[in-house]
Amino acid sequence: MKMPATDSLPHPYRYQFADNAKALGILLVVLGHARGISAWMVDLIFSFHIPLFFFLSGFLLKPDRLAESMAGCWRRVAKNLLIPYLVFFAIAYVYWLATRHIGIKAALFGDLHWFDPLMGLVTGIGSKLYIDTPLWFFPCLISTVLIYHLARHFIDSGSALFFFNMTALLAIILSPLVDDRLPWGLDNMWVALAFYAVGQACREKWYEVQRWFQLSTRVKLLSMLAVAVAWSVLALFNGRVDLNSMQFGKEILLYLPIAYAGTAGLLMLSSLLPATRALRWISDNALVIFPLHMLVFSVARGGLVTLKIVAADYHYTIVWALALTALAILVAVPAARVMRILLPGTFIRRAGA
């Protein structure tokens, strides 16, 4: 196999639009999980927010990394993904053990054995990771990275792009016929691989892709508007989707086009936004915000209900959702500092990563 040329961009180099996209994406992830947002907002956010992160993961992989051995790839994946998975599972597990017999959690978890959540850790299946559902992303991404890396030792990026979009389409078509889930994302991974492959293909063809950035602002805005209209209409028509649970909406064949359109629209928007310290910080700490925000939600809601400040059947609104989103970001500030101290090799991002 002919390996791709080493990325010729100067080191350290950062793709500003990718930073902005990751920051906006993680904010949408947090908001999409908060109680109080409308169903139509959930439909729009879920239609592309996780595909966006698989795309960015593929895009931010330097092409020369693909020349590594499988052992080298595994070591990199273990440091960057497996360790965070284990760390945040441990945090969520300790919290679950301490609170499972308190308040509203008692009805859900009071009868479970202390070791029951460990099945989620071992399998990586989202439904079994109920102590912190977003953790499903880590096993799925680990499998995605490893399979893509293996495939690229035999085929080029164009062939990988075609092949993994075909396997994604097949996995989507077959999904209604399959009830049992496979461990470590070995089922939804086949869909994730399509977005990852597109991201890496865009990275390798960067000098062609970047022509978008040379267009006039007016053309960019009109293009973004056209994509946004098509995406929103189709996403609302298709309804709720969820890559975690392999739910692809009313018309499952629309899932990939909608996800690509939503991802493209956010990337367009991100390219128009200036670089800011706030967005850069959120992007750099997405690895902390992503697995931590649901725990913040649980602590906040459980505490308010237990203290009878908020009723268990309280009607949540968008104000609550926005407040919790802001709280999750604020809590991530000290949490990120602690993670960088304890595991600097994992939680400190290097330019050009």
Side-chain angles (χ1 to χ4, degrees):
M1 169 194 169
K2 182 180 179 180
M3 296 306 297
T6 300
D7 199 322
S8 57
L9 290 169
H11 181 81
Y13 182 91
R14 293 184 70 116
Y15 294 92
Q16 175 184 312
F17 82 95
D19 276 336
N20 290 345
K22 186 185 288 188
L24 294 178
I26 199 64
L27 289 174
L28 289 175
V29 167
V30 177
L31 181 63
H33 288 153
R35 293 171 180 260
I37 66 172
S38 302
W40 65 267
M41 293 179 66
V42 174
D43 292 346
L44 290 176
I45 292 172
F46 273 64
S47 71
F48 78 97
H49 68 335
I50 295 301
L52 169 70
F53 279 98
F54 282 109
F55 170 89
L56 289 173
S57 296
F59 181 82
L60 293 173
L61 174 69
K62 292 197 294 185
D64 60 354
R65 290 284 193 184
L66 294 169
E68 291 178 335
S69 65
M70 283 303 298
C73 178
W74 169 247
R75 286 192 294 269
R76 177 165 48 84
V77 165
K79 182 183 75 171
N80 296 335
L81 296 173
L82 182 59
I83 290 176
Y85 175 65
L86 297 175
V87 166
F88 284 105
F89 180 90
I91 293 171
Y93 184 50
V94 170
Y95 172 69
W96 182 85
L97 288 175
T99 61
R100 64 188 178 119
H101 293 298
I102 300 175
I104 55 178
K105 280 192 171 184
L108 296 173
F109 307 121
D111 294 333
L112 297 181
H113 297 293
W114 64 268
F115 52 81
D116 193 81
L118 299 178
M119 183 60 69
L121 173 67
V122 173
T123 64
I125 297 174
S127 60
K128 297 183 183 299
L129 284 165
Y130 49 82
I131 63 172
D132 191 6
T133 305
L135 289 174
W136 75 270
F137 180 80
F138 288 92
C140 185
L141 182 55
I142 289 171
S143 297
T144 298
V145 172
L146 293 174
I147 293 298
Y148 183 84
H149 188 87
L150 177 62
R152 287 300 307 276
H153 280 272
F154 301 97
I155 58 178
D156 60 20
S157 63
S159 299
L161 179 67
F162 175 80
F163 177 75
F164 287 124
N165 271 274
M166 292 300 99
T167 57
L169 186 60
L170 181 61
I172 290 170
I173 292 173
L174 294 178
S175 62
L177 306 177
V178 180
D179 294 325
D180 296 329
R181 300 299 306 277
L182 297 178
W184 284 80
L186 293 176
D187 41 18
N188 47 15
M189 168 199 73
W190 294 106
V191 181
L193 274 162
F195 306 115
Y196 191 88
V198 171
Q200 177 58 201
C202 288
R203 174 72 174 249
E204 293 189 17
K205 300 294 184 180
W206 173 243
Y207 289 105
E208 288 82 2
V209 172
Q210 70 173 341
R211 292 175 183 173
W212 156 261
F213 298 94
Q214 300 168 358
L215 299 176
S216 67
T217 301
R218 180 180 179 182
V219 172
K220 290 180 183 178
L221 288 172
L222 289 175
S223 301
M224 185 179 68
L225 179 62
V227 170
V229 169
W231 157 71
S232 58
V233 170
L234 290 175
L236 291 175
F237 167 77
N238 202 37
R240 173 68 180 272
V241 299
D242 186 0
L243 183 54
N244 172 28
S245 56
M246 296 286 282
Q247 297 177 8
F248 300 110
K250 300 175 188 175
E251 298 293 337
I252 58 176
L253 294 182
L254 288 176
Y255 176 77
L256 286 177
I258 292 171
Y260 283 134
T263 298
L266 190 77
L267 293 172
M268 290 177 181
L269 173 62
S270 300
S271 72
L272 294 170
L273 296 177
T276 67
R277 292 182 63 184
L279 290 176
R280 169 77 173 267
W281 185 91
I282 294 173
S283 174
D284 283 347
N285 292 283
L287 194 63
V288 175
I289 298 168
F290 186 84
L292 192 63
H293 71 277
M294 290 294 281
L295 297 181
V296 174
F297 290 178
S298 179
V299 172
R301 179 171 179 263
L304 292 175
V305 171
T306 301
L307 296 174
K308 298 184 179 180
I309 298 174
V310 172
D313 59 350
Y314 176 75
H315 179 68
Y316 298 93
T317 65
I318 187 63
V319 175
W320 170 272
L322 292 172
L324 277 190
T325 299
L327 178 62
I329 302 301
L330 289 174
V331 170
V333 174
R337 290 180 180 176
V338 172
M339 292 299 171
R340 285 196 295 269
I341 293 171
L342 296 178
L343 297 164
T346 296
F347 289 98
I348 293 180
R349 173 180 171 177
R350 292 174 173 80

